Amino acid sequence: MSLRPKTGKCSALYLRPKKTPSPDCWYCDSPLGVHILQQTVGKLCEEAGFKGYFTNHSLRATAATRLYKAGFDEQLVAEKTGHRSAAIRSYKRTCDAQLANVSSVVQGIENMASPVKKLKLADSSNTNTNNRELSVSAGEVSFTLRF
C-alpha cells in the first residue's frame, strides 16, 4: 500500500504496475484489468512448469479439498472458501487414501489411518486367585480395572 500513488484517486485493490517504477511509487493510478487478474494463476502455474489448465478458481477448489481432507466441517470450509450454497460439495475431492479407508471399513478390515481412536483391551487372569484385570488404553490415556 505504501508504494501506491500518494495522491491517487483510484480505490481499486489491484493497480496497474508502472513500466518504470520509482523507489517510492510502483503503480499507476488506474486499476488492473479483470482479464489480467483472471489469467494470473494460469500464468504462474505455466511458469512453474505445471501441466494442465489452472485458473484463479483452481485455488478455491484446492483450498476446499485440503480443508475437507483435514477433516474440517463443511460449514467452516464454505466460510473459508466464500461459498454460500451447497456448491461446496462439488469442490470437495476425495483422495486415494480416503477411498482405501472406506473400502477397508466396508470390508471389516481395521485401518490404522482412521481418525477414530481404537481402545486396546488387555485381559489378564491371575491363576492363583479369582482376581481379574482389564487394562484399557487410548493414546496416552490408560487405566486398569481389577475385579
Side-chain angles (χ1 to χ4, degrees), residues 34-96:
V34 68
H35 297 294
I36 299 295
L37 287 174
Q38 289 174 346
Q39 298 166 1
T40 300
V41 171
K43 286 182 180 181
L44 289 171
C45 289
E46 182 180 321
E47 289 179 23
F50 296 143
K51 303 271 188 236
Y53 179 71
F54 298 97
T55 65
N56 295 359
H57 196 89
S58 301
L59 298 177
R60 188 182 205 194
T62 299
T65 302
R66 287 184 177 178
L67 291 170
Y68 171 64
K69 284 181 187 176
F72 286 95
D73 182 65
E74 189 174 299
Q75 181 178 348
L76 184 60
V77 174
E79 272 182 43
K80 286 298 172 188
T81 58
H83 288 91
R84 294 189 183 142
S85 68
I88 185 71
R89 291 187 180 123
S90 66
Y91 298 113
K92 296 189 309 185
R93 295 179 175 87
T94 55
C95 66
D96 292 338

Side-chain angles (χ1 to χ4, degrees), residues 125-142:
S125 300
N126 187 335
T127 55
N128 296 337
T129 65
N130 289 332
N131 295 336
R132 295 178 55 100
E133 286 186 1
L134 179 65
S135 297
V136 179
S137 64
E140 295 181 16
V141 177
S142 63

Side-chain angles (χ1 to χ4, degrees), residues 19-30:
K19 290 189 184 201
T20 55
S22 63
D24 63 335
C25 186
W26 291 6
Y27 303 98
C28 299
D29 191 26
S30 62

Side-chain angles (χ1 to χ4, degrees), residues 97-105 108-116 118:
Q98 289 171 313
L99 294 174
N101 195 18
V102 167
S103 293
S104 64
V105 169
I109 301 169
E110 185 174 326
N111 187 349
M112 297 309 287
S114 173
V116 177
K118 305 268 185 209

